Structures are given as structure tokens and as C-alpha cells.
Amino acid sequence: MNDFFEFVYCIDKKYNKQAFLSISSLIEHSNGIKLKVNLIHKSPRSFNKYKKVINKNYPELDLNIIKFKFNIKSYPRLKNAHVSEATYYRIFIGDLVRSKSNFIIYIDADAYIVNNPFEKIKESINDMKEKDMLLGAKTTDYFSKQQSLDIFERLNINDKYFNAGVLVINLKKWNKENISKKLQKQVKKIENEIVYWDQDVLNSFINGDYYEISDELNHIVNLNLKERFDTEEVKIIHYVGGLKPWDEKGIEADPNNYYQLLNKKYLN
């Protein structure tokens, strides 16, 4: 199989373990497909012990660790948040990832591959290429109706808002149109309206003009709802909200127990 797929994660040391497990789940379902993973990291050395495991167990993986070099401590809504500043690293992808790939897939460190996603990703890429789309994402219905109305008014956008946990990015178009620099300006432009960090920035900039990827590629799991998901129908699961599957309460609330299974398989 000659297919090649390139991915990017954005983390700091708080998410080393989670990113390692996500990358491991990606490799597990690759079935010989050639992969490259770019890891944008605040403190690359802190990932060294995980890097050694990856290099030893998966020498065929092209792992590229990139130090995040921008000062964004003043970016909105970071103090006392359940996310770190790394959530904003996504908007710097064009400044940091040096790639010959026309398309790249972004995955959150709290998103995990449960079944082979590559055919679905390939379908999305081919369709986006034909339609010359910049970004592929999944529209979210995670918010209540009133919250959704508030989001559209607050960000001055139309009737679509996507979750940024899994993104298919037309990197060639992204770089040609200098999107990273435009997004950095967008942060300043709407800084008083930002609630959901760079996800708000991306949505306010894109304003509904994105390609709709399948729910299979970004299946939202909210542990507060204790909902089971059908592992046969899902490719990538994404844990959203403040309650995470590695928290004590999150472990109890996770009916599928998928994160803990990964943890046991790859780290215990």
C-alpha cells in the first residue's frame, strides 16, 4: 500500500502521556500505511521517554518533534482553565510544520483511534481537493440551543460551529493564503469575545465555510453523560469537556473504558 498520511499534535508536558497513547492508537490501526507525526511541543525534552518507546517499538514511524517558540501567555481564557496554552498551537501550524504534504490531519491529544480511519480520511481529502476547501471539521451539537445561539451572536458567525479536535487541513492552501498569520491577527481582533479558545478563533475566521467530515472521524464522548459508543461504527473518539478519562471521576464515568485499556496496553 502506497498511501501516506501526515498528522500533527499540539501539546505541553501535561499531555505527554495522553499524546503518546493517541499516537500509539494511531499506529495500531495503520496496518502498514506509512505515517508521519509532527508533535508541536512546549518542552520537547519532557517527551523524551515516550519518544524512546515509540522509536523502539515503531521504528517505521517518522516522528518529528517541533519546539513551540512563540510567546502567547497573554492569549485569552488561559488562567485557571482545564486546557493549557497548547490549545492555541493549532493556529501556528503553518509557521512550524515544514512539510511537502498537501494535506495534514490534526488530532487532539484526548482523541483516540478505535478503528482504521484512513479510508474515511482519504475520502475527505479527495473531496476537499476537488472542492478546493481549506479545512475539514465536524459540526458540533455539543452545546445547548441557547448556548449555540449565544455563540453565533458572540462570534458574529452564521449557523455552523465545528469542534476542532480533529481537523483535515489543506496545508498547501493554508500556507499559500498565509492562514496562520491571519488567525494570529484574529485572536487580537476578537479577544474579548473568546470563550472556547482557538476553536472560537478558527470558527470566527472560517465562518461556516468548511468541509463536513464524518462523525466517525470525530465522535464526541462527554463523560458527564456516561454514554456508550458503538466501537464498530466509530473511527476516532474525542473526549470533550473538563471531565477526562484519566481523572479519578472520569475513570468511573467512562462506560467504554477505552482510555484505560490503552493505558494498560501501552504503559503498564
Side-chain angles (χ1 to χ4, degrees):
M1 185 174 289
N2 296 320
D3 285 333
F4 170 77
F5 293 87
E6 188 165 354
F7 294 82
V8 60
Y9 290 81
C10 300
I11 65 168
D12 59 16
K13 61 184 179 181
K14 295 177 184 177
Y15 272 75
N16 279 339
K17 177 180 176 181
Q18 291 85 347
F20 167 77
L21 292 176
S22 182
I23 293 168
S24 297
S25 73
L26 178 66
I27 296 166
E28 178 182 338
H29 294 283
S30 63
N31 297 327
I33 291 173
K34 188 176 180 182
L35 303 176
K36 180 176 181 179
V37 171
N38 300 280
L39 184 66
I40 299 174
H41 204 304
K42 179 73 171 178
S43 309
R45 286 185 181 180
S46 71
F47 196 75
N48 279 349
K49 70 175 183 177
Y50 297 103
K51 180 182 178 182
K52 288 178 182 177
V53 174
I54 291 171
N55 289 341
K56 179 181 178 181
N57 294 335
Y58 316 111
E60 68 280 5
L61 178 71
D62 184 357
L63 178 63
N64 178 35
I65 301 180
I66 306 163
K67 181 174 176 58
F68 185 77
K69 58 186 179 180
F70 298 91
N71 183 358
I72 61 169
K73 293 187 183 298
S74 63
Y75 272 29
R77 301 277 296 178
L78 289 175
K79 190 175 181 180
N80 299 322
H82 74 266
V83 301
S84 70
E85 71 167 41
T87 187
Y88 281 107
Y89 294 0
R90 278 177 289 212
I91 67 178
F92 293 85
I93 284 173
D95 294 320
L96 295 170
V97 177
R98 296 289 171 258
S99 173
K100 294 181 180 179
S101 298
N102 289 334
F103 284 81
I104 196 165
I105 302 95
Y106 168 84
I107 301 184
D108 267 352
D110 55 6
Y112 302 92
I113 290 76
V114 298
N115 284 299
N116 187 321
F118 297 100
E119 280 304 313
K120 280 290 180 184
I121 292 172
K122 189 175 181 179
E123 287 175 16
S124 297
I125 288 173
N126 288 339
D127 211 11
M128 287 174 64
K129 191 183 299 182
E130 185 177 325
K131 297 174 181 176
D132 193 31
M133 299 293 288
L134 174 68
L135 192 74
K138 177 69 180 71
T139 300
T140 181
D141 55 4
Y142 174 65
F143 304 103
S144 69
K145 184 176 181 180
Q146 186 56 51
Q147 283 176 311
S148 296
L149 291 172
D150 291 342
I151 286 170
F152 301 141
E153 184 176 342
R154 173 168 55 81
L155 297 177
N156 192 27
I157 59 177
N158 298 325
D159 58 351
K160 288 174 67 179
Y161 183 97
F162 62 82
N163 176 278
V166 179
L167 301 173
V168 181
I169 299 170
N170 185 335
L171 190 62
K172 183 177 181 181
K173 186 176 179 69
W174 184 286
N175 289 333
K176 183 179 180 181
E177 298 180 10
N178 210 10
I179 299 299
S180 282
K181 288 290 186 286
K182 291 177 180 177
L183 289 171
Q184 291 158 41
K185 290 180 181 178
Q186 190 75 359
V187 173
K188 301 298 182 185
K189 182 179 178 181
I190 66 163
E191 61 182 343
N192 294 326
E193 307 302 329
I194 292 173
V195 174
Y196 298 110
W197 306 283
D198 72 313
Q199 185 170 271
D200 276 357
V201 178
L202 286 161
N203 273 279
S204 69
F205 181 79
I206 298 292
N207 194 9
D209 188 19
Y210 57 89
Y211 175 83
E212 188 74 36
I213 65 172
S214 167
D215 177 75
E216 295 174 63
L217 293 178
N218 186 6
H219 184 77
I220 298 300
V221 178
N222 180 355
L223 293 182
N224 287 305
L225 302 178
K226 298 184 180 181
E227 294 177 339
R228 295 191 67 86
F229 59 87
D230 186 347
T231 53
E232 297 300 316
E233 299 297 325
V234 177
K235 310 301 184 187
I236 303 174
I237 61 169
H238 177 209
Y239 293 98
V240 300
L243 187 62
K244 298 297 186 183
W246 50 87
D247 300 328
E248 185 175 343
K249 290 183 178 179
I251 294 170
E252 296 173 3
D254 188 0
N256 283 84
N257 204 33
Y258 189 73
Y259 176 85
Q260 293 305 320
L261 291 173
L262 284 175
N263 187 64
K264 185 176 181 180
K265 183 173 185 177
Y266 291 108
L267 288 176
N268 291 346

